[in-house]
Amino acid sequence: QVQLVESGGGLVQPGGSLRLSCAASGSIFRINGMGWYRQPPGKERELVAAITRGDSTNYANSVKGRFTISRDNAKNTVYLQMNSLKPEDTAVYFCNAVVTTPPTYANIAYWGKGTLVTVSS
């Protein structure tokens, strides 16, 4: 089993910044792609940003130029630096990772439980 634990959410004023972290632990051979998704109130979950093991990145158009995804493979951790936050960024943010797990070495997608980000004055 693999666990993903997010941290760093909270209340921030418009224009402010937050940094989310997501640490993976458990039966891990290799972590492949990692990403952040969010689910605004009353809406469906959407991709925010993704990063490959080789550090190629992909962003939703709504966050390009404001958010930066990064990862530390030695720590099995992915980060999301969020700057110039807007009220419409308010959502529960979920971490996702595709993990190669022993003994089968299958690639399995795991999710964290989410962390709430509220952007409000």
Side-chain angles (χ1 to χ4, degrees):
Q1 274 288 8
V2 174
Q3 296 78 41
L4 301 180
V5 178
E6 302 102 334
S7 61
L11 174 63
V12 63
Q13 292 187 342
S17 298
L18 281 177
R19 188 192 194 208
L20 305 183
S21 300
C22 172
S25 62
S27 184
I28 299 170
F29 173 72
R30 182 181 61 239
I31 299 179
N32 303 298
M34 304 184 82
W36 288 95
Y37 289 72
R38 68 185 180 187
Q39 187 165 14
K43 296 185 179 180
E44 294 187 352
R45 192 174 298 189
E46 61 183 9
L47 174 68
V48 176
I51 185 168
T52 67
R53 187 169 179 84
D55 289 337
S56 294
T57 58
N58 181 43
Y59 295 92
N61 288 334
S62 59
V63 307
K64 282 181 180 177
R66 300 188 298 123
F67 290 11
T68 302
I69 189 170
S70 61
R71 63 189 287 173
D72 184 332
N73 291 330
K75 295 181 179 180
N76 290 337
T77 299
V78 63
Y79 306 96
L80 185 68
Q81 177 66 44
M82 305 186 294
N83 298 328
S84 302
L85 283 160
K86 305 175 181 180
E88 51 263 43
D89 295 317
T90 295
V92 178
Y93 284 71
F94 297 90
C95 172
N96 169 270
V98 177
V99 183
T100 304
T101 57
T104 64
Y105 298 95
N107 293 326
I108 301 174
Y110 292 91
W111 292 89
K113 294 183 178 180
T115 184
L116 177 62
V117 172
T118 302
V119 184
S120 175
S121 55

